[in-house]
Amino acid sequence: MKNDFTVGLFIDWLTSPWHASLADGLREACAERGWNLVCFVTGRIGHERHRESERNVLLGAVSSSNLDAVVLATPALVSAGGLDAVGRLAARAYGRPVVSLGYALPGVVSVFYDNYRGFYNLLEHLYLEHGVERFAFLRGPQNNPEMRDRARAFFDFLSDRAIPAGFVLDTALNLEEGRPAARRVAEYMRTGNAVDAIVCSNDLLAYGVYSFLSSESYKIPDDMIVTGYDDIGPSRYAGLTTLRQDVRMLGRAACGVLERIVSGEDVPDVCFVPQLVTRFSCGCMDCEQEQGNDVYHLRELVEMGATDYSFEKGKRLEEELVASLGVAEMHGKLKRQLAELSVQTCYILHYVDSKTSELGLRPVFSYDKNGCGDCYGEFDSKVCRDLLPNFVTERLESPYALVAHALFKGDNRIGVVYFNFTVEDLRIHEGIRHGLSIGYDVARLLSRIRHQNTALRERKKMLEETNNMLEEEIRRRQAIQRELKRREKYFRDMAMFLPILIWELDADRRIRFVNKRAESIASRSDVDFLELIHIEDQDRMEAIFESLVNNESVIPSQFRLANGSFSTTILCQCVAYTLDDLRCGIRIVGLEMEPMVSSVLMPEEAFFEDYNFTPREKELLGYLVRGYSRKDIAEILGISENTVKVHLSSIYRQTGVKNKNELFKLISEYQVTRLDYNSYAFSALSCLVKDWQDKNGIKLS
């Protein structure tokens, strides 16, 4: 057998005398053989209570590659799933030796006490020695197989003696349950039913019954006989008649059975019969027997006293851990106080993902003879899916004994904590476990809040940057809007003098702007534009307007403008534009087909040869022809308006005109003279069409 042989004990609790003695007996026997022991504190299999179901994640350690044998504290693990659930757990050991401790498990070598025979013997003693025939039975939870065996012995005994069943009550197995259960018995008696003895399924229930009977002035055993089961430490001093299960011996026996299995022997079940211990509570006392058991009880009482003292020390550390505001603060408190509490070993591992235990464990804290400290930096890469990871086993010298507790808060699975096993420190472990669970949960919550605050600050910064960008975009668009309005002014100033026809319609197609040329042809304004169009062309133009409203492109068209008896054909391009109220308006730019188009093309250099214009005057004239005002020209050329006025006066004087209108007429007459009437009109039309093609990306065939 290898030197580092490791046994895993699976048990639902360790802080009660029964659980602690069972585990400590197994620890002693393992240490004598040089074996390691790891106690996994789980919950009852299939139990609905949350605090137990979350601990059951540690049941997965039954298949750990670092375990060589498995011991199941079967009565402590049984719940709604029954013995079958424990059997399925044993099957997950995959061929390694398995021993059922405390109850016979089919298909598994078992070491247990015969609950049926022991309880039958107790009832027989009460019947034969004290003449008890009227029983009240507090039989414990019936999902526990030990309690079912005791109940079966009770009813079989009554049947064998033809005694009525009397009062039977299902209870929990704790002291607090004893008082209300005894009160129920008293109420039963007040209805005219007699009871000679209250038979309890364990000693803790009997202590609660004691408490109630004493408060109600019942005398024990004169008025009522009371018995228990287990014979835990205080029972001797309470004078309680009970059945002794030496669970420490039971744990040691399990280790012996394992040794024989590992050696290849065919080992049968090992069954013990509980020892009847009679005391004052049933009316008899065996003094010699009690003297022989002094050492047994003294040891239990010393352990219980030490456990209570350690509990107070552990409670203080638990409260400090719960009050911590971060992981670093928690670990600092552990470093300072574990030595004071005589805790020699403490390893903490966290699940990689708090919502599942399947992604593995990562060590975060270690405390042993090699030192103490956080493990984040050193062991970040050490992620193990085994619930008994190498990180723990490789740091210890054999033989060692450990206790493994699950860390959790609500549905948040945090990890696992390992302590060195000593009976005196078991309640310290539980306090630290509880403090760590709450502390880590609070730390994660605070960390999440900090991350959220960081994210909110980043988001705020991003929103501020976005807001700045939006403000910049608004300023840019406002600048564009101002530029568009300025150009609109240029357009309208120029449009007033161009031979083209311009109408601007609002969303209801009513005329809101018209230039001089269009006004001279159709003087009506603030009317529906379709009223100015020949009736035969109205449907076509209305279809064009609808297309523009729907953001569809349209091609140049023509319509006949009718005003009374006057009619002329207009070549036009219709475009949509945005009004101040964001509704869609329509701009119509048209050209009369018949008259000559003038004032569109800038004169060529030959025009200037007849005059003695300075370069500045020539440049200024170009802006003037394009429709810029004196103020705009001054701003563009970087000169004052007075200077512009001086240059214009020089141009007017040299060309012999008095104002801008006469200047434009002079240029128009020059172009007609140079090109002839039709050529100039064609050139003007071609210029307008080409400009429209360039702006809209359309080529006309």
Side-chain angles (χ1 to χ4, degrees):
M1 187 181 301
K2 63 180 184 178
N3 293 330
D4 59 344
F5 190 83
T6 302
V7 178
L9 170 64
F10 293 84
I11 192 166
D12 76 325
W13 209 246
L14 278 179
T15 53
S16 78
W18 187 93
H19 293 80
S21 296
L22 185 75
D24 196 44
L26 182 61
R27 179 198 61 79
E28 288 177 345
C30 285
E32 291 168 2
R33 292 166 173 78
W35 295 357
N36 307 316
L37 174 68
V38 182
C39 299
F40 294 94
V41 181
T42 71
R44 286 171 286 179
I45 302 174
H47 202 284
E48 295 180 355
R49 191 166 62 173
H50 185 76
R51 61 180 299 185
E52 297 204 45
S53 63
E54 285 301 319
R55 293 204 309 267
N56 280 342
V57 66
L58 292 182
L59 293 173
V62 75
S63 50
S64 169
S65 60
N66 286 321
L67 289 183
D68 300 289
V70 172
V71 176
L72 303 176
T74 300
L77 298 176
V78 171
S79 183
L83 290 175
D84 290 343
V86 184
R88 289 192 294 272
L89 177 64
R92 291 166 58 187
Y94 302 126
R96 280 166 292 194
V98 180
V99 170
S100 172
L101 189 55
Y103 199 81
L105 185 64
V108 176
V109 179
S110 304
V111 180
F112 59 96
Y113 274 99
D114 188 340
N115 283 274
Y116 181 92
R117 176 50 52 194
F119 209 72
Y120 198 100
N121 291 343
L122 169 66
L123 296 171
E124 194 168 47
H125 169 78
L126 297 177
Y127 177 76
L128 295 177
E129 299 296 330
H130 301 287
V132 175
E133 294 187 3
R134 295 169 297 189
F135 293 91
F137 179 32
L138 309 184
R139 65 179 183 176
Q142 291 305 289
N143 58 3
N144 184 306
E146 289 186 303
M147 300 303 110
R148 289 200 298 270
D149 282 356
R150 296 171 195 178
R152 186 163 55 86
F154 176 81
F155 290 113
D156 284 354
F157 177 83
L158 296 184
S159 176
D160 293 344
R161 301 294 189 276
I163 297 174
F167 182 84
V168 179
L169 181 66
D170 291 351
T171 64
L173 296 174
N174 54 54
L175 187 148
E176 293 79 10
E177 188 78 3
R179 285 189 62 87
R183 183 178 292 108
R184 294 278 299 277
V185 174
E187 292 171 354
Y188 172 76
M189 294 172 63
R190 282 195 288 270
T191 60
N193 300 292
V195 174
D196 301 322
I198 300 177
V199 181
C200 304
S201 288
N202 75 349
D203 289 355
L204 292 175
L205 270 173
Y207 299 160
V209 173
Y210 260 38
S211 174
F212 175 80
L213 294 179
S214 298
S215 66
E216 296 295 318
S217 300
Y218 283 86
K219 294 180 180 180
I220 300 172
D222 297 338
D223 297 332
M224 184 69 66
I225 291 174
V226 179
T227 65
Y229 198 114
D230 288 333
D231 195 28
I232 60 178
S235 296
R236 178 181 185 274
Y237 302 95
L240 179 66
T241 294
T242 184
L243 287 158
R244 175 177 299 154
Q245 293 189 113
D246 189 345
V247 290
R248 185 182 302 275
M249 181 271 293
L250 202 66
R252 295 181 64 87
C255 196
V257 168
L258 269 180
E259 187 174 33
R260 293 171 60 191
I261 294 174
V262 173
S263 298
E265 296 185 34
D266 187 9
V267 183
D269 289 349
V270 178
C271 178
F272 302 95
V273 177
Q275 176 188 357
L276 176 62
V277 181
T278 57
R279 297 194 181 100
F280 173 76
S281 70
C282 72
C284 57
M285 172 72 79
D286 186 342
C287 297
E288 293 182 2
Q289 182 190 56
E290 283 301 306
Q291 291 173 359
N293 291 323
D294 276 352
V295 174
Y296 174 85
H297 288 294
L298 182 60
R299 177 172 182 171
E300 279 202 354
L301 286 172
V302 169
E303 289 176 351
M304 290 175 65
T307 300
D308 288 340
Y309 174 66
S310 66
F311 173 73
E312 294 301 322
K313 295 192 297 182
K315 192 68 177 177
R316 289 194 295 271
L317 177 54
E318 174 188 351
E319 291 170 354
E320 290 191 28
L321 293 174
V322 170
S324 300
L325 296 179
V327 173
E329 184 179 345
M330 290 173 58
H331 290 180
K333 292 176 180 178
L334 283 176
K335 294 174 188 178
R336 290 190 298 272
Q337 298 196 36
L338 285 177
E340 298 178 11
L341 295 172
S342 301
V343 176
Q344 300 172 359
T345 304
C346 178
Y347 303 127
I348 302 174
L349 298 93
H350 283 183
Y351 294 119
V352 176
D353 185 344
S354 63
K355 295 302 180 184
T356 175
S357 58
E358 298 176 358
L359 297 180
L361 291 162
R362 176 183 288 115
V364 298
F365 179 84
S366 67
Y367 174 85
D368 54 28
K369 68 178 184 178
N370 298 316
C372 173
D374 297 329
C375 304
Y376 290 108
E378 182 181 357
F379 299 103
D380 270 350
S381 60
K382 291 194 175 183
V383 176
C384 180
R385 286 183 170 82
D386 199 316
L387 286 169
L388 181 58
N390 293 333
F391 167 79
V392 172
T393 59
E394 291 174 353
R395 297 173 69 91
L396 299 170
E397 294 181 3
S398 296
Y400 57 79
L402 294 175
V403 178
H405 287 277
L407 298 176
F408 63 92
K409 186 66 174 66
D411 294 330
N412 182 19
R413 292 180 177 177
I414 298 169
V416 183
V417 58
Y418 296 86
F419 300 103
N420 58 294
F421 183 107
T422 58
V423 172
E424 297 81 3
D425 293 339
L426 292 178
R427 297 190 76 177
I428 291 180
H429 300 163
E430 176 57 27
I432 295 175
R433 180 209 68 80
H434 187 251
L436 288 173
S437 295
I438 296 177
Y440 280 127
D441 190 63
V442 171
R444 288 189 178 186
L445 177 61
L446 292 175
S447 177
R448 189 179 302 118
I449 291 173
R450 283 193 291 269
H451 287 316
Q452 289 175 346
N453 286 338
T454 301
L456 287 173
R457 285 195 296 269
E458 292 177 353
R459 186 174 181 184
K460 179 182 177 183
K461 181 180 178 182
M462 182 182 68
L463 289 174
E464 288 175 349
E465 292 175 352
T466 303
N467 189 55
N468 291 336
M469 292 172 60
L470 288 173
E471 289 178 352
E472 181 62 30
E473 179 66 16
I474 290 172
R475 286 192 293 269
R476 189 182 69 83
R477 295 199 176 196
Q478 287 174 342
I480 292 174
Q481 188 73 14
R482 288 193 298 270
E483 178 64 15
L484 288 175
K485 288 182 178 180
R486 187 175 67 84
R487 294 187 181 184
E488 183 77 9
K489 182 175 181 299
Y490 291 157
F491 167 77
R492 290 185 176 179
D493 286 346
M494 182 176 66
M496 296 301 292
F497 303 102
L498 290 177
I500 59 176
L501 313 173
I502 300 175
W503 292 272
E504 285 185 358
L505 314 181
D506 61 18
D508 298 322
R509 298 179 308 193
R510 303 187 71 82
I511 300 173
R512 62 191 301 269
F513 171 80
V514 60
N515 73 338
K516 289 184 177 294
R517 183 58 185 162
E519 189 177 26
S520 67
I521 296 178
S523 58
R524 296 171 62 192
S525 61
D526 193 28
V527 296
D528 188 332
F529 183 75
L530 291 178
E531 296 180 10
L532 303 181
I533 299 175
H534 195 284
I535 190 170
E536 295 179 359
D537 299 335
Q538 288 181 3
D539 290 342
R540 183 174 68 256
M541 292 304 295
E542 187 167 15
I544 291 174
F545 295 162
E546 286 295 325
S547 297
L548 291 173
V549 171
N550 296 326
N551 295 319
E552 299 173 2
S553 61
V554 297
I555 62 173
S557 182
Q558 66 181 37
F559 63 87
R560 286 168 290 175
L561 191 62
N563 189 358
S565 60
F566 176 76
S567 177
T568 184
T569 301
I570 306 298
L571 175 65
C572 72
Q573 174 65 51
C574 300
V575 296
Y577 73 101
T578 302
L579 299 172
D580 293 338
D581 57 3
L582 302 181
R583 295 182 302 161
C584 180
I586 298 173
R587 178 177 291 134
I588 303 167
V589 181
L591 186 66
E592 296 176 79
M593 298 297 292
E594 294 84 3
M596 176 181 65
V597 179
S598 61
S599 302
V600 176
L601 300 177
M602 181 71 180
E604 297 182 352
E605 287 295 325
F607 174 80
F608 299 99
E609 293 175 357
D610 296 337
Y611 306 100
N612 190 23
F613 293 155
T614 65
R616 176 65 83 184
E617 290 172 346
K618 183 177 178 182
E619 183 181 13
L620 188 147
L621 180 58
Y623 284 111
L624 186 65
V625 170
R626 290 199 295 273
Y628 287 87
S629 67
R630 287 187 301 187
K631 180 178 179 181
D632 294 329
I633 295 172
E635 184 178 346
I636 293 171
L637 297 180
I639 59 179
S640 67
E641 285 190 50
N642 286 334
T643 304
V644 173
K645 187 174 180 180
V646 170
H647 287 307
L648 287 176
S649 298
S650 175
I651 293 171
Y652 294 161
R653 186 176 59 256
Q654 292 185 59
T655 55
V657 299
K658 296 179 180 179
N659 53 43
K660 185 168 60 174
N661 290 342
E662 291 184 2
L663 178 61
F664 285 170
K665 181 178 179 181
L666 176 66
I667 294 172
S668 176
E669 291 175 350
Y670 169 81
Q671 297 285 49
V672 172
T673 303
R674 184 175 67 84
L675 297 173
D676 77 49
Y677 181 95
N678 292 323
S679 296
Y680 177 63
F682 179 77
S683 297
L685 181 58
S686 298
C687 181
L688 289 172
V689 172
K690 184 177 184 306
D691 180 66
W692 176 83
Q693 288 177 313
D694 292 341
K695 289 180 179 178
N696 293 277
I698 299 175
K699 294 186 179 297
L700 298 177
S701 57

